[in-house]
Amino acid sequence: ILAGLADPDDNVKRNGAFCAGVCCENCGDSIVAQYPQLLQSISPLFSMDGTSGGESSAACIDNAAAAVSRMIMASPTHVPLSQVLPALLSVLPLKTDMTENETVYTCLLGLLQMNHADVLAKKDDVRRIFAEATLETSKVDAELQTKLKLAMQALS
């Protein structure tokens, strides 16, 4: 996984990020000791140029966002949210890999339901992201948009 995240090919990095997230999601506590190393390896993906780098770079960023979201949902106490959340929010809404919308927004909605201090401190950013995700032109599915609209009302 770590070699994939460091690979020069964006598609390999994308798959490495996906694999890291799914491993964290399914391995539970047995992988939390690896979270710091995984987060350090995923971190550079958030700095990629998703606009001029093409669709594969944008999809790589989307998968990094989903990987971190999976890590948060699997074990929120093992992710330094005060450091991770700004990077995550900066790349949302997703640009290319719409299959990851459910993962990312379920994570944010869960943090809001927990009244997590770090996400509440960023509620203006969250509101902006949810507003973009619920536009008529958005590729977020209708059911998820409904949940996001309800959350936006609660954030107001």
Side-chain angles (χ1 to χ4, degrees):
I1 293 173
L2 297 176
L5 290 167
D7 198 273
D9 185 303
D10 287 350
N11 286 314
V12 176
K13 283 186 230 184
R14 174 186 183 181
N15 288 325
F18 177 78
C19 186
V22 170
C23 283
C24 291
E25 183 177 51
N26 290 295
C27 292
D29 288 341
S30 65
I31 197 168
V32 295
Q34 307 308 314
Y35 271 33
Q37 190 174 13
L38 287 169
L39 288 168
Q40 187 173 21
S41 297
I42 292 169
S43 177
L45 305 185
F46 286 98
S47 301
M48 294 177 68
D49 187 349
T51 52
S52 67
E55 189 173 319
S56 62
S57 292
C60 190
I61 296 166
D62 289 352
N63 278 38
V68 168
S69 297
R70 284 184 171 92
M71 293 174 78
I72 293 168
M73 289 188 292
S75 188
T77 58
H78 289 93
V79 177
L81 282 172
S82 62
Q83 296 170 316
V84 171
L85 201 56
L88 175 60
L89 296 176
S90 75
V91 299
L92 297 177
L94 300 178
K95 312 295 183 278
T96 303
D97 193 347
M98 298 301 130
T99 61
E100 297 295 1
N101 275 328
E102 178 127 8
T103 299
V104 171
Y105 293 121
T106 298
C107 173
L108 290 176
L109 290 168
L111 290 171
L112 286 169
Q113 285 180 333
M114 290 189 302
N115 287 316
H116 198 286
D118 290 310
V119 79
L120 293 176
K122 297 283 187 187
K123 70 180 181 180
D124 289 341
D125 291 329
V126 173
R127 196 178 302 121
R128 173 194 55 80
I129 291 161
F130 286 6
E132 287 182 44
T134 56
L135 291 173
E136 198 173 298
T137 56
S138 172
K139 294 179 183 168
V140 175
D141 72 57
E143 183 180 335
L144 192 50
Q145 281 195 27
T146 300
K147 291 177 185 177
L148 297 178
K149 287 176 185 176
L150 289 170
M152 276 195 308
Q153 290 171 357
L155 283 172
S156 297

